[in-house]
Amino acid sequence: MLQALEWKGRTLRFLDQTRLPREEVYIETEDYRDVVEAIKTLRIRGAPLIGVAAAYGVCLGAFEALKSDDFFAFLREVDADLRATRPTAVNLFWALDRMQRIWLPGESEGDWEDIVERLVEEAKTIDRENALLSERIARFGAGLLEDGDRVLTHCNTGPLACGGWGTALGAILWAVHREGKRLVVYADETRPLLQGARLTAFELQKAGIPVTLICDNMAGFLMSQGVITKVIVGADRIAMNGDVANKIGTYTVAVLARHHGIPFYVAAPLSSVDPKARSGADIPIEERGAEEVLSFGGVRVAPQVAVRNPAFDVTPAELVTALVTEEGVVYPPFGEKLERLKEGRRP
């Protein structure tokens, strides 16, 4: 499996995902600002991985803060810069809140070096936990896939996006490589940045799993022909009622799956469940720049016209067959079950 990022002493090494699949380029940095820029520009992407990267970004900022006049004022700036990168992926804020619980109470202390050491340990813990959780999600998700299934997935949810096995794509990888199931995967291209074409197809090909690439607007036709038997996707944020925010186009796929009687599964860690969002209406949706739609690969493909470029959409809970978490598969109704899981109790 590709390693999307790695902590090396006082340096973060990460794979520049914007350059895949043409070349595999790793960037090493000691500057938290590079992490901020990488998250904004999708060099680092995928909700779980963004959380891990943000935690390590705080560590890089903390090392720099040791050289500043005001250690805690500098850390506040680091925290604010990281929080401003991507508004929809709640794992970012979940990880930064965990890191904040380390450094914020330390203002009454004087041992800045000790705080930095504890921050690094917490970031490593988040990283390890993320890998373990992805394995559990992959195992539970694989149980929903049957030998011979033809599975459609949207966007990218493998090791590149999540670390470890991944979430939705992790379920596919586990089903094939650990359970010996024969699956054919359909990856839609995922406009406008082609995460499905560039990343999901790339990861599946590397893993030796048969993959067929389709344009986003082909899914309905293939479903009507009986070609697709299951859909499994990831999530950037899940509301407490089970509404799911994921890459733009997910809602369309969910509607098509419901119309054709195809199960629609969502795989994500419980850290993606936002207790402050009672429904999808409470989830902020990131709008990205017009150039992502007007151009591709630096080449203009449309005239200079008005553009809407929401990066995510919200799929209503009633279209979700089940949620796959590290604590197991959750079936509707989701509300009370998600509340119990967030409180650490079995539903």
Side-chain angles (χ1 to χ4, degrees):
M1 293 182 190
L2 287 172
Q3 190 160 14
L5 58 78
E6 179 184 10
W7 180 255
K8 303 176 68 177
R10 295 191 174 196
T11 301
L12 183 65
R13 181 176 185 264
F14 61 88
L15 181 64
D16 183 350
Q17 298 193 34
T18 63
R19 299 172 77 163
L20 291 172
R22 291 171 296 174
E23 51 184 350
E24 296 176 27
V25 176
Y26 284 88
I27 296 170
E28 292 193 17
T29 184
E30 296 181 351
D31 190 337
Y32 86 92
R33 298 168 192 84
D34 290 336
V35 180
V36 169
E37 188 271 345
I39 295 173
K40 282 182 177 178
T41 58
L42 279 66
R43 287 181 169 85
I44 297 173
R45 47 155 296 282
L49 196 71
I50 287 172
V52 174
Y56 283 131
V58 172
C59 297
L60 295 179
F63 283 120
E64 186 174 345
L66 289 173
K67 305 171 187 175
S68 70
D69 295 331
D70 191 327
F71 179 80
F72 293 101
F74 195 93
L75 274 185
R76 283 193 178 85
E77 182 179 334
V78 172
D79 181 80
D81 287 348
L82 287 163
R83 286 179 189 273
T85 53
R86 305 286 306 275
T88 303
V90 74
N91 305 68
L92 169 73
F93 306 99
W94 169 84
L96 290 173
D97 288 346
R98 278 185 60 166
M99 298 298 282
Q100 196 175 74
R101 287 195 287 272
I102 300 294
W103 65 263
L104 200 57
E107 288 197 76
S108 57
E109 306 170 11
D111 193 347
W112 297 353
E113 293 276 0
D114 178 65
I115 292 171
V116 174
E117 287 182 14
R118 284 188 283 140
L119 284 171
V120 171
E121 285 308 308
E122 183 69 3
K124 289 180 178 178
T125 299
I126 290 171
D127 195 355
R128 286 193 299 269
E129 288 177 357
N130 181 65
L132 291 171
L133 295 182
S134 77
E135 180 175 322
R136 290 174 60 85
I137 292 168
R139 286 169 50 203
F140 286 123
L144 299 172
L145 304 177
E146 300 172 89
D147 188 47
D149 266 339
R150 299 176 300 279
V151 185
L152 173 67
T153 190
H154 182 71
C155 198
N156 176 251
T157 55
L160 286 174
C162 310
W165 283 82
T167 54
L169 198 58
I172 293 168
L173 294 170
W174 191 278
V176 173
H177 290 305
R178 290 298 181 89
E179 298 180 356
K181 294 174 181 174
R182 292 163 298 176
L183 304 178
V184 174
V185 183
Y186 287 82
D188 60 24
E189 59 183 357
T190 322
R191 280 283 290 152
L193 297 180
L194 303 186
Q195 291 97 328
R198 293 189 304 106
L199 305 177
T200 298
F202 172 74
E203 285 190 294
L204 287 166
Q205 186 181 59
K206 278 212 166 229
I209 296 175
V211 56
T212 298
L213 181 65
I214 64 172
C215 297
D216 291 354
N217 56 6
M218 297 174 183
F221 173 72
L222 293 182
M223 289 180 183
S224 73
Q225 299 298 298
V227 172
I228 292 164
T229 57
K230 301 272 174 67
V231 178
I232 186 165
V233 301
D236 288 81
R237 190 181 303 215
I238 300 173
M240 293 304 294
N241 70 339
D243 290 351
V244 174
N246 192 49
K247 182 57 59 184
I248 191 72
T250 303
Y251 176 39
T252 306
V253 173
V255 170
L256 290 168
R258 173 56 58 90
H259 178 76
H260 292 95
I262 297 169
F264 180 89
Y265 300 117
V266 176
L270 287 170
S271 57
S272 295
V273 179
D274 182 4
K276 296 178 182 176
R278 305 314 300 176
S279 74
D282 298 322
I283 298 176
I285 299 299
E286 176 184 6
E287 286 261 358
R288 295 184 62 82
E291 280 304 310
E292 292 181 351
V293 177
L294 295 173
S295 303
F296 185 76
V299 178
R300 179 58 68 91
V301 295
Q304 190 65 46
V305 294
V307 169
R308 285 294 309 276
N309 187 19
F312 305 93
D313 57 27
V314 175
T315 298
E318 56 264 29
L319 298 180
V320 178
T321 306
L323 300 172
V324 185
T325 77
E326 66 269 25
E327 293 299 328
V329 180
V330 183
Y331 293 93
F334 297 113
E336 185 177 341
K337 296 172 185 176
L338 288 178
E339 286 183 12
R340 286 177 174 271
L341 285 174
K342 291 297 284 185
E343 292 169 359
R345 298 180 292 142
R346 297 292 301 173

